[in-house]
Amino acid sequence: MRVLLVEDDDRVAEALEPALTRRGMTVSRLPGGKGVLESLSDVDVVLLDLGLPDVDGVALCRAIRAASDVAIIVVSARGEVDDRILGLHAGADDYLVKPYDVGELMARVQAVRRRRGHAGTDDVVKIGDVEVHLNRHEVRVAGEPIALSRKEFQMLALLVAARGSVCTRERIISEVWGRTWSGVNRTLDVHVATLRTKLGRPDLIETVRGVGYRLAAATPAG
């Protein structure tokens, strides 16, 4: 899926771009309104910040909608009800208030694409008899569906995207929980143990002591 990130904050963009890329997105970024309308033919979803330096974000949203049927998700620090209503009336398909969880953003992107009938081909990664359907957030083992919680699936998707490289504990905590607290390491270990049990493949996820976790299969097929 091709994503256009319209975001002037370099720190936000530098954190979001690699997170989306690891989840299979192709990301391009513009720091303002200049060039947005000319780029619409090459993207599936626009992630639009409203606080842009060179143009009113709501006006740009209207212009995007007038020029294209591309999916638009507003990602803005403006969280008042009136701001959300204004953004949706301007043509946005969804509105997410900063700060937000990347997993929630991905879920909203997929939901918007499904509603518009553009779900596309399912991105399936196979590790032995384990199938991870990234777009549909589904996992099958030996053809049977496995019910995972959102955080369990996010963890598995991170390990799949790493393709056998180690995912550090800090990275998993940051991307799945978005924050840290005194018991977070224990929570991570419990989630990994539960994930191993649900998959019925305890050797699939290896512990790298003192560092993090990785898939035992170094190169998943997909």
Side-chain angles (χ1 to χ4, degrees):
M1 190 183 302
R2 301 164 300 173
V3 175
L4 174 61
L5 175 63
V6 186
E7 171 63 66
D8 68 310
D9 190 324
D10 290 338
R11 292 174 299 177
V12 172
E14 287 169 3
L16 188 55
E17 286 186 76
L20 294 176
T21 300
R22 284 193 293 269
R23 288 165 171 80
M25 308 288 103
T26 300
V27 184
S28 55
R29 181 228 176 171
L30 291 173
K34 184 178 179 181
V36 170
L37 297 182
E38 292 78 11
S39 303
L40 298 179
S41 62
D42 296 324
V43 299
D44 302 303
V45 179
V46 176
L47 301 180
L48 176 64
D49 181 24
L50 295 183
L52 299 173
D54 59 343
V55 66
D56 177 77
V58 174
L60 178 58
C61 186
R62 291 195 187 99
I64 293 171
R65 179 53 66 234
S68 172
D69 192 42
V70 67
I72 305 170
I73 299 179
V74 169
V75 283
S76 174
R78 302 179 190 176
E80 298 298 324
V81 172
D82 287 346
D83 292 317
R84 300 186 194 200
I85 293 173
L86 191 60
L88 293 170
H89 281 176
D93 296 280
D94 205 344
Y95 195 114
L96 192 57
V97 179
K98 297 177 181 178
Y100 50 82
D101 179 81
V102 175
E104 181 181 2
L105 174 61
M106 286 298 302
R108 291 181 183 238
V109 167
Q110 299 292 354
V112 166
R113 293 282 290 164
R114 285 196 300 271
R115 288 199 300 269
R116 288 174 160 269
H118 299 298
T121 58
D122 190 23
D123 187 2
V124 182
V125 177
K126 297 180 180 179
I127 312 102
D129 62 352
V130 177
E131 297 181 359
V132 183
H133 298 250
L134 296 172
N135 288 350
R136 300 206 308 257
H137 282 222
E138 294 179 0
V139 176
R140 292 179 177 270
V141 176
E144 295 297 320
I146 304 298
L148 300 182
S149 71
R150 182 170 66 88
K151 292 190 185 305
E152 289 163 356
F153 184 87
Q154 285 179 293
M155 289 169 50
L156 183 58
L158 271 177
L159 294 171
V160 166
R163 303 186 68 82
S165 297
V166 178
C167 283
T168 65
R169 301 176 69 88
E170 292 78 10
R171 175 182 166 190
I172 296 172
I173 291 166
S174 174
E175 295 203 24
V176 175
W177 280 273
R179 62 189 179 90
T180 188
W181 67 95
S182 59
V184 68
N185 282 296
R186 175 59 180 161
T187 298
L188 172 59
D189 292 337
V190 169
H191 275 73
V192 170
T194 303
L195 180 58
R196 285 169 169 157
T197 299
K198 287 185 175 182
L199 293 175
R201 303 291 183 272
D203 296 331
L204 180 64
I205 300 174
E206 292 183 343
T207 299
V208 181
R209 192 171 299 278
V211 181
Y213 298 94
R214 67 183 174 198
L215 289 184
T219 309

